Amino acid sequence: SQTIHQWPATLVQPVGSPLSLECTVEGTSNPNLYWYRQAAGRGLQLLFYSVGIGQISSEVPQNLSASRPQDRQFILSSKKLLLSDSGFYLCAWSVSSYEQYFGPGTRLTVT
Amino acid sequence: GENVEQHPSTLSVQEGDSAVIKCTYSDSASNYFPWYKQELGKRPQLIIDIRSNVGEKKDQRIAVTLNKTAKHFSLHITETQPEDSAVYFCAAMSTGSARQLTFGSGTQLTVLP
């Protein structure tokens, strides 16, 4: 069965510091991968999606970037964090079916 | 792009009563409509979904209805229990290879014992 991992689970970073969040999927090949952000008490905002290795599409212009170096690995990065980058970051995957499943998330606090 | 509106933002019901959450979407080409339940501090969990070629789908105490003409869909929870308390999100999927979901703003459901 498929499993999705995210790390770290929680992170506290100062403003201006870099960021790297990782997501990996097991048990499937060539998944579509997605990064969402959820601000406190808010809905889910799609940040990036990828349909294959090296293929990244951005939904919202911002100081974040994403990369997909391997088929089942998706990385979210930033060179300099802003206070507004705080939130709950969720990775999700889907394959040939329509269903989209979320990872456990990373809770990021920028201080 | 797609726009999804969800109502109400908060809903309180007595245990055993029914709860209904409604969503509207803007893109008539959207063809897949999932519902997610998110408990505090946890990931959203897919609880039920419906495709555009179906008008209603049921799974035990939860059901989803879709009206393509009016571009709205609803989640129905019957015989509510305290463990149903959570934030519920609707979403609509646009066509295209990436199958992107656009989410509603969420409904905080509280089931009062």
Side-chain angles (χ1 to χ4, degrees):
Chain A
S1 65
Q2 299 89 350
T3 309
I4 181 168
H5 303 279
Q6 285 188 246
W7 62 89
T10 60
L11 191 59
V12 179
Q13 292 283 95
V15 168
S17 64
L19 174 74
S20 181
L21 303 181
E22 189 165 341
C23 169
T24 59
V25 181
E26 296 177 355
T28 187
S29 296
N30 197 31
N32 287 351
L33 295 173
Y34 309 84
W35 277 114
Y36 290 88
R37 177 170 61 201
Q38 186 175 35
R42 304 290 296 277
L44 294 146
Q45 179 187 35
L46 179 63
L47 301 175
F48 300 94
Y49 64 91
S50 172
V51 299
I53 296 174
Q55 301 178 60
I56 308 294
S57 296
S58 172
E59 285 296 296
V60 182
Q62 59 217 326
N63 69 320
L64 299 173
S65 62
S67 62
R68 185 169 176 174
Q70 300 179 41
D71 180 45
R72 289 171 286 181
Q73 184 184 31
F74 205 20
I75 296 172
L76 183 70
S77 304
S78 174
K79 291 182 180 178
K80 286 185 178 182
L81 284 169
L82 307 172
L83 283 174
S84 57
D85 291 325
S86 293
F88 192 35
Y89 287 82
L90 291 152
C91 181
W93 67 273
S94 68
V95 284
S96 56
S97 60
Y98 288 73
E99 294 88 352
Q100 206 169 108
Y101 298 97
F102 288 90
T106 294
R107 195 162 303 279
L108 172 67
T109 303
V110 182
T111 60
Chain B
E2 176 66 275
N3 182 50
V4 177
E5 295 192 358
Q6 183 172 346
H7 301 281
S9 57
T10 61
L11 179 61
S12 292
V13 300
Q14 289 294 137
E15 183 177 357
D17 288 351
S18 296
V20 180
I21 303 170
K22 298 181 179 181
C23 289
T24 60
Y25 61 99
S26 61
D27 186 355
S28 56
S30 289
N31 57 3
Y32 173 68
F33 307 91
W35 285 88
Y36 288 83
K37 175 184 179 182
Q38 187 177 30
E39 297 176 347
L40 190 62
K42 297 190 176 179
R43 75 183 90 181
Q45 298 272 15
L46 178 65
I47 57 171
I48 196 167
D49 56 12
I50 192 167
R51 300 192 187 186
S52 58
N53 59 345
V54 176
E56 184 175 359
K57 184 176 178 181
K58 216 172 184 181
D59 182 4
Q60 298 183 335
R61 293 188 298 108
I62 60 173
V64 57
T65 58
L66 171 65
N67 184 326
K68 284 169 51 181
T69 304
K71 288 189 284 187
H72 68 70
F73 56 112
S74 301
L75 177 71
H76 304 255
I77 306 174
T78 59
E79 301 172 18
T80 53
Q81 301 167 3
E83 52 265 38
D84 294 328
S85 296
V87 179
Y88 291 81
F89 291 98
C90 64
M93 180 174 281
S94 57
T95 55
S97 61
R99 294 182 173 162
Q100 300 159 252
L101 286 174
T102 301
F103 284 83
S105 54
T107 297
Q108 172 69 61
L109 173 65
T110 303
V111 180
L112 305 169

